[in-house]
């Protein structure tokens, strides 16, 4: 069954954002990893890079395709998940946990509330089914 | 179009994608990587009924095919098969094919995407030849599944009272397997031992199910595999895929397939291929492994050390068994030599790659 973590907020482009203290942890949803298939490479930005909400910050590459990933909120990168270098499959195995992509220091905390909660995101993905 | 196994795929978690006009499984719920490893470790079952199956009969069929196909078909013994190419007069490739010889006929397996034009090409060429050759497209009546992997023969033998295993590598024979009469080729395109089975279309699902039932009863690990695993499994041992390593612009010289050309006799394209070989190709197929971490993908540009474009990626991926990011590229011959360093333009970023000795993975059956 598809998982919809209730502790995170979701963007329409299928990234999730979780508030952890002052920081926002970012990853891709279970729906996104399931659609992509096996992830074989993750390209992440440098610590210190800044992204506006909606800007592409990296690329998640599955067996067959390379997909941009977008910042769910604006902010500065303070940490990236280095473990994905040797084990990109964690994005598939644990998308809301060890498969996180990066941590942002947000510039506008109010952007979080404009994202979808898990109920809204569940409904949103149901509308995308073929 | 859908194969007779489409409903089975759908009900077993396949992600279905369009491929050459067919709705085919890309992978099942365990994912493409695990399917790849399963075939290298144990056994996998592929529905490849989308491929074309063309039948040639008649007293002059061998001679006709020897002229149409680059390889030595007149010299092919009954009960054996051979890889070959269909080329145009100018040496460029129309398709790559497998030719199976039986006492009373030949079966030619062609790529799904090229089936229609292969049929037109062969009909036209046969019309120009005098002689007794009957040609029929049997793709709709016959199906095709591939049982591949180091444990594939345990299943095929168990279902055929050992008949499958008595067929030598590249051999072919009609056998009874799982109570069904089917052509069995000791062939495949994965770099593993195994068989390709051609039952009547109405028999393919019972045969497919019989493989899983036998595997389960006898504790042989077997799973269904989709097109994604089929691609990575053929990529590692260096097998060409039409549309990638072979195209309308490629001759066997650039593609390193002169070994599949029997120059002792005339075939369509022979003189042009020999001339191309003599003058030297302008570009050549090479396999590279990424030195900088990145996934090289089809269509990415290949650059030299000065940033000048020198070629293009035709297949690229994470190679699961070799555990590296690798690509097949066409480059200027000077850069196609083992040890050369090239740069791949990965979405605007320059990533270094090194030309390696092909292939990335050597099939174990080659050591037999």
């Amino acid at each position: 069954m598809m998982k919809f973590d209730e502790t995170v907020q979701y963007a329409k482009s299928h990234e999730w954002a979780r508030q952890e203290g002052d920081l926002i942890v970012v990853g891709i949803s279970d729906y996104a990893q399931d659609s992509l298939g096996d992830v074989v490479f993750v390209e992440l930005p440098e610590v210190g890079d800044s992204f506006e909400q909606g800007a592409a910050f990296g690329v998640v590459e599955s067996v067959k395709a390379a997909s941009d990933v977008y910042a769910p909120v604006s902010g500065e990168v303070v940490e990236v998940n280095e473990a994905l270098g040797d084990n990109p499959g964690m994005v598939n195995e644990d998308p809301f946990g060890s498969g996180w992509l990066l941590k942002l220091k947000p510039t506008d905390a109010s952007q979080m509330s404009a994202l979808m909660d898990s109920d809204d995101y569940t409904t949103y993905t149901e509308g995308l089914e073929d | 179009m859908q194969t007779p196994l489409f409903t089975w795929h759908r009900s077993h978690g396949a992600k279905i994608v369009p491929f050459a006009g067919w709705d085919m499984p890309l992978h099942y719920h365990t994912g493409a990587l695990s399917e790849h490893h399963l075939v290298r470790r144990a056994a996998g079952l592929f529905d490849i009924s989308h491929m074309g199956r063309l039948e040639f009969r008649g007293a002059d069929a061998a001679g006709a095919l020897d002229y149409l196909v680059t390889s030595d078909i007149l010299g092919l013994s009954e009960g054996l098969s051979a890889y070959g190419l269909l080329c145009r007069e100018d040496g460029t490739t129309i398709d790559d094919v497998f030719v199976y010889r039986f006492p009373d006929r030949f079966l030619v397996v062609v790529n799904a995407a090229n089936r229609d034009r292969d049929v037109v090409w062969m009909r036209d060429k046969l019309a120009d030849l005098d002689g007794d050759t009957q040609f029929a497209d049997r793709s709709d009546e016959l199906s095709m599944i591939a049982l591949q992997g180091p444990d594939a023969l345990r299943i095929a033998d168990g279902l055929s009272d050992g008949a499958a295993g008595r067929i030598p590598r590249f051999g072919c024979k009609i056998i009874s397997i799982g109570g069904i009469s089917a052509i069995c080729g000791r062939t495949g395109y994965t770099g593993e031992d195994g068989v390709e089975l051609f039952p009547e279309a109405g028999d393919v699902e019972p045969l497919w199910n019989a493989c899983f039932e036998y595997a389960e009863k006898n504790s042989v690990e077997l799973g269904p595999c989709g097109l994604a695993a089929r691609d990575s499994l053929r990529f590692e041992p260096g097998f060409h895929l039409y549309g990638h390593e072979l195209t309308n612009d490629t001759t066997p010289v650039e593609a390193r397939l002169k070994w599949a050309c029997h120059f002792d006799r005339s075939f369509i394209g022979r003189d042009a291929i020999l001339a191309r070989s003599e003058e030297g190709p302008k570009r050549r197929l090479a396999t590279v492994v990424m030195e900088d971490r990145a996934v090289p993908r089809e269509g990415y540009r290949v650059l030299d050390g000065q940033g000048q474009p020198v070629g293009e990626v035709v297949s690229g991926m994470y190679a699961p068994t070799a555990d590296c990011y690798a690509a097949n590229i066409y480059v200027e011959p000077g850069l196609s030599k083992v040890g050369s360093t090239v740069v791949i333009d990965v979405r605007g970023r320059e990533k270094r790659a090194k030309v390696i000795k092909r292939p990335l993975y050597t099939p174990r059956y080659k050591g037999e």
Side-chain angles (χ1 to χ4, degrees), chain A residues 38 40 43 61-62 64 85, chain B residues 33 231 293 297 325 347:
Chain A
D38 289 338
V40 297
E43 184 183 299
E61 301 214 31
S62 66
K64 284 287 171 197
Chain B
L33 295 180
D231 191 29
R293 289 181 71 93
R297 295 201 184 263
Y325 303 102
R347 298 184 301 273

Side-chain angles (χ1 to χ4, degrees), chain B residues 13-94:
Chain B
K15 178 179 169 126
I16 303 287
V17 293
F19 179 80
W22 295 83
D23 296 324
M24 296 300 291
L26 182 65
H27 58 76
Y28 299 81
H29 59 83
T30 58
L33 295 180
S34 94
E35 291 168 19
H36 177 109
H37 291 303
L38 179 64
V39 172
R40 292 271 184 259
R41 177 179 74 241
L45 194 57
F46 303 75
D47 178 14
I48 49 174
S49 302
H50 62 302
M51 299 189 80
R53 289 161 292 280
L54 313 178
E55 190 178 84
F56 291 75
R57 290 177 185 265
D60 300 313
L65 277 170
D66 194 71
Y67 178 64
L68 287 168
V69 177
T70 57
S71 43
D72 181 12
I73 305 303
L74 277 171
L76 184 66
S77 301
E78 287 174 8
L80 284 179
S81 65
Y83 178 79
L85 302 157
L86 290 182
C87 289
R88 299 181 185 83
E89 284 79 1
D90 68 359
T92 57
T93 51
I94 298 168

Side-chain angles (χ1 to χ4, degrees), chain B residues 68-256:
Chain B
L68 287 168
V69 177
T70 57
S71 43
D72 181 12
I73 305 303
L74 277 171
L76 184 66
S77 301
E78 287 174 8
L80 284 179
S81 65
Y83 178 79
L85 302 157
L86 290 182
C87 289
R88 299 181 185 83
E89 284 79 1
D90 68 359
T92 57
T93 51
I94 298 168
D95 204 357
D96 62 338
V97 304
F98 242 89
V99 181
Y100 296 80
R101 185 169 197 170
F102 299 93
D104 59 338
R105 63 188 152 138
F106 291 86
L107 197 62
V108 180
V109 174
V110 305
N111 282 295
N114 294 331
R115 172 182 158 193
D116 291 345
R117 72 176 194 175
D118 289 354
V119 168
V120 170
W121 173 264
M122 288 173 146
R123 272 197 207 292
D124 280 359
K125 291 297 165 189
L126 283 175
D128 295 341
L129 293 174
D130 289 332
D132 170 28
T133 306
Q134 294 97 48
F135 169 57
D137 184 347
R138 296 261 284 139
S139 309
D140 296 337
E141 302 105 77
L142 283 180
S143 284
M144 188 171 179
I145 59 177
L147 176 60
Q148 301 279 299
D151 292 337
L153 263 294
R154 283 178 62 196
I155 300 165
D157 273 346
L159 289 171
S160 68
D161 202 15
R166 288 192 289 273
I167 300 171
R169 186 78 200 152
F170 295 118
C172 57
K173 195 168 191 264
I174 295 173
I175 62 170
S176 174
I177 179 160
I180 289 158
S181 175
I183 293 168
C184 177
R186 187 79 176 267
T187 49
Y189 220 55
T190 59
E192 300 304 325
D193 197 359
V195 293
E196 291 177 306
L197 300 166
F198 306 69
E200 295 290 330
D203 288 334
V204 68
E205 191 162 357
L207 180 56
W208 178 272
N209 288 329
C211 291
F212 284 110
E213 282 156 24
Y214 183 89
E216 186 163 354
K217 270 195 199 126
N218 295 278
S219 303
V220 184
E221 209 186 348
L222 175 71
C225 300
L227 292 180
R230 185 168 167 78
D231 191 29
S232 56
L233 287 160
R234 71 90 198 166
F235 174 78
E236 287 183 327
F239 300 155
H240 292 55
L241 178 61
Y242 198 92
H244 299 264
E245 288 76 15
L246 288 169
T247 65
N248 284 326
D249 304 322
T250 319
T251 79
V253 181
E254 293 93 75
R256 299 179 183 267

